[in-house]
């Protein structure tokens, strides 16, 4: 069964409550209809109910079964504002400021999750990544023991000899512009968990560089060597190796030539890039030039699943992300 079908089946069993924060956006409404029809999750749409009613009537979209909440008038606003003040009291947030922030659905969604009124959220069809992520990072925060939220793409390649039957996971393609050694180690460990729980694969993690096992000398190489060491110390049970070049990670012959005896070289299915530039450009290269399907970004490390869409997303991208988010909510 295709990976996305497996994810959808898991989501169906869980029936989690997913907030679609951009509830007056047309693709989002069309996606909500499909999610409800396919019973992938319970849907909460944020936005003005009249606008939503007009749009759905005009477009013939059936969202009966969705809960619609207007962040401007909802009667839980005061309760939510108190939760916000409690979380941000060290930053001096006042009730008045919190109530004003709640007018923004991108703030309202994460607070619903924090209050236990929803299990996950998706936004980003009409908002920039930073605007979706900031309130999530500020209020939902990270899982216990995790300090870094990062984002992966599951790449499904046409060439099934690569990775795990054509599946590779790339990290971090979405969040941390310039991670340090410790953060890279954490990203590797969090990605291993995503590989198991979402992609259903046993991770073999390559820490990528422009050098394999000391073939080049540079501070950037040292960074990946140290990140690999820290990851080993933090999670000795995981198969992690590096620093290594991409060809050594993916090609068996090159891998054994450049890194003899490595259990990862030539067989990697998780690629941890040294920074956001390389990872973000890298996944788009594979998507555009190799025709791979790119599923993501799937955000990981957050205390509850909140995922960011691309502004160019399609209706089916939103449906798939709703299923992934529902699955992450467990
Ligand atoms: N993990 C955990 N917490 C974080 C992280 C992180 N990766 N980054 C920031 N935070 C926390 C901060 O500690 C801070 O917490 P606090 O307010 O409680 O002290 C809060 O989040 C806000 O952090 P700032 O640094 O003030 O926020 P900033 O404006 O820098 O935003 C953001 C953080 C949005 C993640 C930023 O790093 C960013 O824009 N990253 C790049 C996103 C991007 O453009 N990705 C590429 C596009 S996506 C794609 O193509 C698939």
């Amino acid at each position: 069964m295709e990976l996305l079908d497996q994810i959808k089946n898991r989501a169906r069993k869980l029936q989690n409550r997913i907030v679609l924060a951009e509830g007056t956006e047309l693709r989002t409404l069309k996606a909500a209809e499909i999610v409800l029809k396919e019973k992938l999750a319970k849907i909460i749409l944020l936005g003005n109910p009249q606008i939503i009613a007009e749009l759905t009537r005009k477009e013939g979209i059936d969202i009966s079964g969705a809960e619609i909440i207007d962040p401007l008038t909802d009667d839980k606003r005061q309760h939510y504002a108190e939760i916000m003040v409690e979380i941000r009291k060290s930053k001096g947030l006042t009730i008045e400021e919190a109530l004003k922030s709640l007018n923004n659905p991108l703030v309202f969604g994460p607070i619903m999750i924090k209050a236990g009124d929803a299990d996950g959220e998706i936004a980003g069809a009409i908002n920039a990544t930073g605007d979706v992520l900031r309130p999530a990072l500020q209020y939902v925060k990270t899982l216990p023991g995790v300090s870094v939220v990062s984002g992966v793409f599951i790449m499904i390649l046409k060439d099934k000899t690569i990775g795990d039957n054509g599946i590779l996971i790339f990290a971090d393609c979405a969040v941390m512009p310039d991670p340090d050694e410790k953060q890279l180690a954490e990203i590797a460990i969090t990605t291993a968990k995503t590989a198991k729980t979402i992609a259903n694969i046993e991770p073999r993690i390559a820490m990528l560089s422009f050098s394999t096992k000391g073939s080049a000398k540079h501070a950037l190489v040292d960074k990946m060597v140290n990140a690999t060491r820290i990851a080993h110390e933090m999670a000795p049970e995981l198969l992690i190796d590096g620093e290594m070049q991409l060809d050594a990670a993916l090609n068996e012959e090159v891998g054994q030539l450049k890194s003899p005896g490595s259990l990862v070289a030539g067989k990697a299915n998780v690629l941890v890039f040294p920074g956001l530039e390389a990872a973000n450009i890298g996944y788009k290269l594979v998507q555009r030039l190799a025709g791979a399907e790119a599923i993501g970004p799937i955000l990981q490390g957050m205390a509850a699943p909140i995922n960011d869409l691309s502004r160019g997303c399609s209706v089916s991208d939103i449906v798939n992300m709703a299923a992934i988010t529902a699955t992450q909510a467990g």
Side-chain angles (χ1 to χ4, degrees), residues 41-96:
K42 295 181 178 135
I43 288 293
I44 302 166
L45 288 162
L46 299 187
N48 181 304
Q50 271 138 3
I51 297 177
I52 293 174
E54 267 164 42
L55 261 172
T56 49
R57 196 179 46 241
K58 194 167 141 229
E59 299 288 334
I61 300 168
D62 178 9
I63 50 148
S64 48
E67 188 180 352
I68 299 171
I69 292 181
D70 187 349
L72 297 180
T73 57
D74 189 60
D75 55 16
K76 285 195 167 167
R77 281 172 57 86
Q78 181 67 26
H79 173 51
Y80 289 170
E82 282 161 17
I83 292 174
M84 290 170 70
V85 168
E86 182 59 28
I87 296 171
R88 307 286 292 174
K89 62 182 170 214
S90 65
K91 308 272 175 185
L93 185 77
T94 64
I95 279 281
E96 293 70 31

Side-chain angles (χ1 to χ4, degrees), residues 9-60:
N9 278 344
R10 269 182 272 157
R12 255 180 221 110
K13 287 189 189 124
L14 292 163
Q15 284 303 302
N16 278 319
R17 301 158 297 172
I18 303 302
V19 177
L20 302 180
E22 294 154 335
T24 53
E25 196 273 329
L26 193 54
R27 286 165 299 173
T28 303
L29 288 169
K30 288 182 177 171
E33 178 181 36
I34 297 170
V35 171
L36 291 166
K37 201 167 142 208
E38 294 189 11
K39 297 187 167 52
L40 299 175
K42 295 181 178 135
I43 288 293
I44 302 166
L45 288 162
L46 299 187
N48 181 304
Q50 271 138 3
I51 297 177
I52 293 174
E54 267 164 42
L55 261 172
T56 49
R57 196 179 46 241
K58 194 167 141 229
E59 299 288 334

Side-chain angles (χ1 to χ4, degrees), residues 137 141-143 146 148-153 169-173 175 186-195 197-198 270 272 297-307 328:
L137 294 170
K141 298 190 183 283
T142 52
L143 281 166
V146 175
V148 181
V149 169
S150 53
V152 304
F153 274 88
I169 304 193
F170 287 15
D172 160 26
C173 306
V175 186
E186 255 199 45
I187 288 168
I189 293 163
T190 318
T191 307
K193 195 170 164 215
T194 301
T197 55
I198 305 295
V270 171
V272 176
I298 302 171
L299 297 184
Q300 54 182 17
M302 201 115 55
I306 294 184
N307 279 306
Q328 281 179 297

